[in-house]
Amino acid sequence: MEPGDTDYTYCSSTPRLDLPPTVVVDDIDPLPKQEQPDDSIGRLESRFLAPSAVMASETHPIDIATTGAPHNPFNFQTQVISTSPVKSNIGQRRGHRYKHSSISAQHQIFQEPPPRPPPVLPASLPIPTLSEAWKSMHKEQRTRLYWSMCHLTVAIFIFFRSEGSLSAMALSHLVFFDAGSAAVCVVVEVLGNFEVWRRSSIRHPFGLERAEVLAGFAMSIFLLFGGFDLVSHNLKHFLETLGTHEAHHEHAHGRVSASSIDLVAAVAIVSTLVSAYGLKNHSRIAKVMRVSYLAALPSILSNPFHFLTLFFSLIVALLPLLSISLYTWLDRLICATISVAMFSLGMRVAIAQGLMLLMSYGGTNGDLGVTSVLQEIESDMAITRVEESQFWQVHYGLCMANLKVSVVRGCDEAAVSKLRNRISSLIQNRLGEGYGVGGNIRWEVTLQIHTNASL
């Protein structure tokens, strides 16, 4: 180039890159077919050793903007193995489940509980309402209900006609007790029409028959308070006659007319007989008390409550035949006697009913009867001794006995069965008055037998 000539060299906006020289291998014999390397390896080597497609000549510049990106031999794209969500197994137990594993099936370590049968006893039974009880009553029961109301009316009549006579007022207390017992008998008969009265349930294991025991206990409390009331009245009248002071409340101390006393006595006798024959009131309470000195009398008079009412009614009817001085002393004496009788009978009834409520036994001869029965059981040749024994009365018609006895060796099932029947019949006949004597007390005997190893 001469001086002065203008240099028209082309200037590109892209900077020039000095590339390394290209190495070209020519005139090389190809390897034999068996010695040729793997095709993929050859391609990889050709890219590193002869990048002719990428590299340009040393003297020819290239434009990077127009040239494609160099081929990357590595694949960095994310590969998705599974499209399902990933579940964490932290805290999960591996291996067989105990219930379905072969070990459990072979050794029967974990078994399904056997299916339970439905409960024999219901949870509870419906208690009848007043309307249901009224609809269930038949004609005879309604007649007895009406008579119990009449008996209560008679007691109120005797109480108001007894003013001036302490013995008549004491007699009204006895008639009140008879009327209350008659009402309890009617209620018991009406409730007996329903299943809840006798059938056992989980809520009431012995039915509602123990409610009759509770009512009898309340009647015994009435007897006790009635006896104290008569004693207080008698003492008040006696103290008013002493000294010269005037009483705070005036009482009629004159002799009551004979017609009034006879009417009171007659009404008391009739009402007592009707209730005794028709309603049989006090029958169950009398069975519990078992007054021995009245057992030889007829059926009605053997009941101590009927005996008291009839006996003192007859004595009160004879009072108008006596003189005034004798009448006054006998009137107070009869009142005191009735109060003592009510107190003593009320105490005995309260003890008998209380033992039932406490699930104890105080029946025939009390502990003496139970002791004699146990001695007779131990006298059996097959029994070595009675280890445990429990006797109690649930209500008027049911008693229970639990015994644990040890027998000699060699007793088979037949001998044990005969022993159970013999012990049950012994307890029923000795403590339940037997099946032919008229006793209505049923004994349920539970007997636990085991063999005595020492013999």
Side-chain angles (χ1 to χ4, degrees):
M1 179 180 299
E2 294 293 335
D5 294 340
T6 307
D7 189 5
Y8 294 97
T9 305
Y10 175 77
C11 296
S12 175
S13 61
T14 303
R16 183 175 178 177
L17 298 175
D18 294 335
L19 299 177
T22 303
V23 180
V24 178
V25 180
D26 294 330
D27 299 332
I28 299 177
D29 295 335
L31 295 174
K33 188 175 182 179
Q34 62 275 11
E35 296 180 3
Q36 289 182 357
D38 188 29
D39 188 26
S40 61
I41 299 175
R43 286 196 299 269
L44 184 60
E45 290 177 354
S46 64
R47 290 176 184 175
F48 285 103
L49 297 179
S52 57
V54 178
M55 300 181 181
S57 176
E58 181 179 4
T59 58
H60 295 85
I62 62 172
D63 191 357
I64 297 178
T66 59
T67 305
H71 181 74
N72 190 356
F74 301 101
N75 184 10
F76 293 103
Q77 294 181 0
T78 304
Q79 300 292 330
V80 180
I81 299 176
S82 175
T83 57
S84 62
V86 179
K87 297 181 179 180
S88 176
N89 58 353
I90 298 176
Q92 294 183 357
R93 178 177 50 82
R94 295 183 179 182
H96 296 286
R97 295 183 181 272
Y98 292 131
K99 179 180 177 182
H100 302 287
S101 64
S102 60
I103 299 176
S104 176
Q106 182 179 0
H107 298 283
Q108 297 181 356
I109 301 175
F110 300 94
Q111 295 181 350
E112 289 286 341
R116 294 183 178 181
V120 180
L121 295 178
S124 61
L125 294 173
I127 298 178
T129 59
L130 291 178
S131 59
E132 293 174 349
W134 177 260
K135 293 178 182 178
S136 68
M137 295 173 62
H138 49 78
K139 184 178 179 180
E140 184 179 358
Q141 290 178 347
R142 292 188 180 183
T143 303
R144 293 181 177 181
L145 176 62
Y146 297 148
W147 168 247
S148 65
M149 295 180 180
C150 294
H151 201 164
L152 182 62
T153 305
V154 169
I156 296 174
F157 170 78
I158 295 175
F159 180 76
F160 284 104
R161 292 296 297 265
S162 63
E163 187 175 357
S165 175
L166 292 176
S167 59
M169 184 182 63
L171 184 62
S172 67
H173 284 64
L174 290 177
V175 178
F176 265 115
F177 180 74
D178 293 341
S181 180
V184 170
C185 290
V186 173
V187 173
V188 168
E189 288 187 2
V190 174
L191 290 178
N193 299 333
F194 298 91
E195 189 179 16
V196 69
W197 180 253
R198 291 183 177 86
R199 186 180 177 185
S200 300
S201 62
I202 298 177
R203 186 175 182 180
H204 302 98
F206 304 103
L208 289 181
E209 292 190 71
R210 283 177 63 84
E212 184 181 4
V213 181
L214 188 61
F217 185 78
M219 296 297 294
S220 66
I221 300 301
F222 171 80
L223 276 179
L224 292 175
F225 277 93
F228 281 119
D229 181 64
L230 292 179
V231 170
S232 65
H233 277 284
N234 205 1
L235 288 177
K236 184 186 298 184
H237 282 269
F238 177 74
L239 294 176
E240 288 177 356
T241 58
L242 299 177
T244 56
H245 68 281
E246 296 181 359
H248 296 284
H249 303 282
E250 294 185 359
H251 297 276
H253 297 286
R255 183 172 180 175
V256 184
S257 61
S259 60
S260 179
I261 290 294
D262 292 340
L263 179 61
V264 166
V267 171
I269 292 173
V270 172
S271 62
T272 301
L273 291 176
V274 172
S275 294
Y277 279 107
L279 298 181
K280 298 186 184 327
N281 58 339
H282 307 311
S283 59
R284 295 195 174 189
I285 298 179
K287 285 287 184 181
V288 174
M289 294 182 60
R290 293 177 175 87
V291 182
S292 59
Y293 50 84
L294 298 178
L297 298 176
S299 59
I300 296 179
L301 297 179
S302 62
N303 191 316
F305 304 100
H306 296 158
F307 177 81
L308 283 179
T309 305
L310 295 176
F311 177 74
F312 287 109
S313 296
L314 292 175
I315 293 181
V316 169
L318 297 177
L319 284 179
L321 302 178
L322 304 176
S323 61
I324 297 178
S325 59
L326 188 59
Y327 169 85
T328 303
W329 283 102
L330 280 180
D331 187 55
R332 295 172 182 173
L333 181 61
I334 292 173
C335 179
T337 306
I338 293 177
S339 64
V340 172
M342 290 181 66
F343 183 80
S344 60
L345 287 179
M347 183 63 69
R348 294 191 60 176
V349 173
I351 293 174
Q353 307 290 338
L355 290 176
M356 287 190 199
L357 294 177
L358 295 176
M359 300 293 286
S360 181
Y361 180 72
T364 306
N365 296 328
D367 295 336
L368 296 177
V370 174
T371 303
S372 62
V373 169
L374 293 178
Q375 290 177 355
E376 189 168 351
I377 292 175
E378 288 183 343
S379 63
D380 196 298
M381 298 298 297
I383 297 177
T384 58
R385 64 190 180 94
V386 178
E387 296 184 356
E388 296 180 7
S389 63
Q390 293 179 351
F391 293 80
W392 64 78
Q393 187 169 1
V394 180
H395 49 76
Y396 295 117
L398 177 63
C399 294
M400 301 185 71
N402 294 342
L403 299 174
K404 182 179 179 181
V405 300
S406 62
V407 297
V408 297
R409 288 184 179 181
C411 290
D412 54 358
E413 295 183 359
V416 170
S417 179
K418 292 181 180 179
L419 182 62
R420 290 179 184 274
N421 295 332
R422 187 161 57 250
I423 293 177
S424 299
S425 61
L426 173 64
I427 294 176
Q428 179 66 47
N429 294 329
R430 294 285 297 273
L431 301 180
E433 300 180 358
Y435 292 101
V437 184
N440 55 357
I441 298 178
R442 179 172 56 91
W443 278 87
E444 290 186 359
V445 182
T446 303
L447 193 62
Q448 182 180 358
I449 299 176
H450 67 92
T451 305
N452 192 351
S454 60
L455 295 179

